[in-house]
Amino acid sequence: MTPDRPYHHGNLRQAVLEQATPVVRDRGASELSLRELAAAVGVSHAAVRRHFPDRRQLHDALAVEGFALLGTRLRDAVDAAPDYRAQIHSLARAYLDFVTSEANLAELMFAHKHGEGGEAVSAAAEAAFAPMLLVFERGLADELEDTSPQRTALIFFATLQGLAGLVNCGMITADQLGGLIEEAVAQFPQGRVGR
Amino acid sequence: MTPDRPYHHGNLRQAVLEQATPVVRDRGASELSLRELAAAVGVSHAAVRRHFPDRRQLHDALAVEGFALLGTRLRDAVDAAPDYRAQIHSLARAYLDFVTSEANLAELMFAHKHGEGGEAVSAAAEAAFAPMLLVFERGLADELEDTSPQRTALIFFATLQGLAGLVNCGMITADQLGGLIEEAVAQFPQGRVGR
DNA sequence: ACCTGAACACCGTTCAAGT
DNA sequence: ACCTGAACACCGTTCAAGT
């Protein structure tokens, strides 16, 4: 209805994000250029700076999107598994699949220093990991051990994150990952719960 | 003996590295500028480009230095502990101390994609982790389990790396780290060895 | 072999001015 | 409120020329 190129773009913020998404996925966050994005959506470079005053704010917005995507993946992983044990396996596979297939996006998501004015990012991250925490809370509810579900979830997550880092920096291949996941998961709380 | 500023610097490569070290430690690898470093050592920007044709080569050289430092820390940690169990604890603390106190350097070291022309970096990394691998090989030598020391060492390392990432991106504080290390280490092979 | 200086294309950032 | 265009300081990169 409106002319092909009205003075006001109307949805510039969203357009920039959509333009940025494939760039960060294929070329990495460091290759993001506000000027290049502006040119790509056909607007002056100063215009996009109104929505994203600097690169950090753009990174934050992309990180929030990334965590939203990760959250749905983890939730689906939990829903698809019948019991606690299977859910842990399912979570591990889903998480590593995300982090390795979207390596550049994941790097952007975790490179960000939380708590430096990026409350939105922190909140998005917390929401994304909620399904994982929930699994451990349910699975370890009948435990009287001195360990808390939060701590177990944190270590579980750290292990996955570490394995993902190893494959992303080339120290191990994606092939080896499956076996390592099995072995890593085997060390986890079920050892205590089941015994 | 030579004049104060001879035409040939004589040790330009080393001088640039020494100039770069505090920059990456205090401000991060992304703040490294070949031009700024050249100005700091008092040489034209094109001169340093003869030793480091691009930023990546400078990063590689700094990563090699970083892995050398990490290697000595890990070796010292092993030497200072009496037995297998204590060595694992000592390694975990030493590694996390390094990665959190030298967060920017560690980020540079692991951001690098191994095997993309950076064989020197890969070799330095392998040498740095040799002490860790050795501990598991000795500690698990009498094991007949289906797990290999390499795999255990890899998962152990991944867990540490993951925990370091959590503190560096602000998801947990350095205070919580001690307890998490204890709990994480407790899950490791001694559970199998000791039983 | 090693270094200089000028040039090029790019970037983020700022700002007065337009609609 | 949103966008433009010019300007500034910085960057990596290339290259002919100097010692």
Side-chain angles (χ1 to χ4, degrees):
Chain A
M1 304 306 178
T2 54
D4 265 22
R5 263 300 331 275
Y7 185 79
H8 288 73
H9 183 284
N11 208 5
L12 183 52
R13 186 188 151 93
Q14 190 59 29
V16 170
L17 286 177
E18 285 171 10
Q19 198 68 234
T21 299
V23 174
V24 52
R25 183 174 53 220
D26 300 334
R27 293 157 53 194
S30 65
E31 296 295 309
L32 274 180
S33 154
L34 294 177
R35 282 180 111 105
E36 183 182 308
L37 292 174
V41 307
V43 98
S44 89
H45 57 268
V48 357
R49 285 195 120 257
R50 175 155 304 270
H51 298 277
F52 304 104
D54 54 32
R55 278 166 93 236
R56 192 176 197 289
Q57 307 235 26
L58 175 61
H59 283 184
D60 284 4
L62 290 167
V64 169
E65 281 193 342
F67 279 117
L69 179 59
L70 175 60
T72 66
R73 296 275 184 88
L74 295 185
R75 207 171 300 272
D76 290 349
V78 173
D79 291 346
D83 58 19
Y84 172 68
R85 191 103 184 89
Q87 284 168 350
I88 291 193
H89 270 88
S90 185
L91 276 172
R93 278 190 298 266
Y95 183 73
L96 280 163
D97 181 62
F98 176 83
V99 171
T100 54
S101 68
E102 299 276 8
N104 286 331
L105 179 57
E107 186 181 349
L108 181 152
M109 288 158 61
F110 292 105
H112 183 279
K113 309 273 184 272
H114 291 60
E116 287 182 7
E119 301 88 10
V121 181
S122 300
E126 204 163 328
F129 292 119
M132 193 154 89
L133 182 56
L134 213 65
V135 165
F136 283 103
E137 281 173 349
R138 283 195 303 244
L140 303 179
D142 51 346
E143 268 308 291
L144 301 177
E145 296 282 343
D146 55 350
T147 182
S148 74
Q150 284 85 357
R151 287 157 73 95
T152 303
L154 222 43
I155 295 173
F156 180 70
F157 166 64
T159 304
L160 300 185
Q161 184 83 341
L163 286 175
L166 292 186
V167 34
N168 278 341
C169 80
M171 286 181 66
I172 60 176
T173 69
D175 298 342
Q176 308 175 256
L177 203 51
L180 286 169
I181 290 178
E182 291 305 313
E183 181 160 343
V185 167
Q187 293 179 344
F188 265 83
Q190 143 271 9
R192 286 176 176 148
V193 172
R195 208 166 289 274
Chain B
M1 305 306 180
T2 52
D4 266 21
R5 262 303 328 278
Y7 184 78
H8 287 75
H9 182 284
N11 208 4
L12 183 53
R13 187 190 150 92
Q14 190 57 29
V16 170
L17 286 176
E18 284 172 10
Q19 198 67 233
T21 299
V23 174
V24 51
R25 182 175 53 222
D26 300 335
R27 294 155 54 194
S30 66
E31 297 295 310
L32 274 180
S33 155
L34 293 178
R35 283 181 110 104
E36 184 182 306
L37 292 175
V41 308
V43 97
S44 90
H45 57 268
V48 356
R49 284 194 121 256
R50 177 154 301 270
H51 297 278
F52 303 105
D54 54 32
R55 279 167 91 233
R56 192 174 197 286
Q57 306 235 24
L58 175 61
H59 282 183
D60 284 3
L62 290 167
V64 169
E65 280 193 342
F67 279 117
L69 178 60
L70 175 59
T72 67
R73 296 275 183 89
L74 295 185
R75 208 171 300 272
D76 290 349
V78 174
D79 291 347
D83 58 18
Y84 171 69
R85 192 103 184 89
Q87 285 169 352
I88 290 192
H89 270 88
S90 185
L91 275 171
R93 279 190 297 266
Y95 183 72
L96 280 162
D97 181 62
F98 176 83
V99 172
T100 54
S101 68
E102 299 276 7
N104 286 331
L105 178 56
E107 186 180 349
L108 180 153
M109 287 158 61
F110 293 106
H112 183 279
K113 309 273 185 270
H114 291 59
E116 286 182 8
E119 301 88 9
V121 181
S122 300
E126 204 163 327
F129 292 120
M132 193 154 92
L133 182 56
L134 212 66
V135 164
F136 283 103
E137 281 173 348
R138 283 195 305 245
L140 303 179
D142 51 345
E143 268 309 292
L144 300 177
E145 296 282 342
D146 55 350
T147 180
S148 74
Q150 283 86 354
R151 286 159 73 96
T152 303
L154 223 42
I155 294 173
F156 180 69
F157 167 64
T159 305
L160 299 184
Q161 184 83 339
L163 287 175
L166 292 186
V167 34
N168 279 341
C169 81
M171 287 181 66
I172 60 175
T173 68
D175 299 342
Q176 308 175 256
L177 203 50
L180 286 169
I181 290 178
E182 291 305 313
E183 182 160 342
V185 167
Q187 293 179 344
F188 265 84
Q190 144 270 12
R192 286 177 176 150
V193 173
R195 208 167 289 274

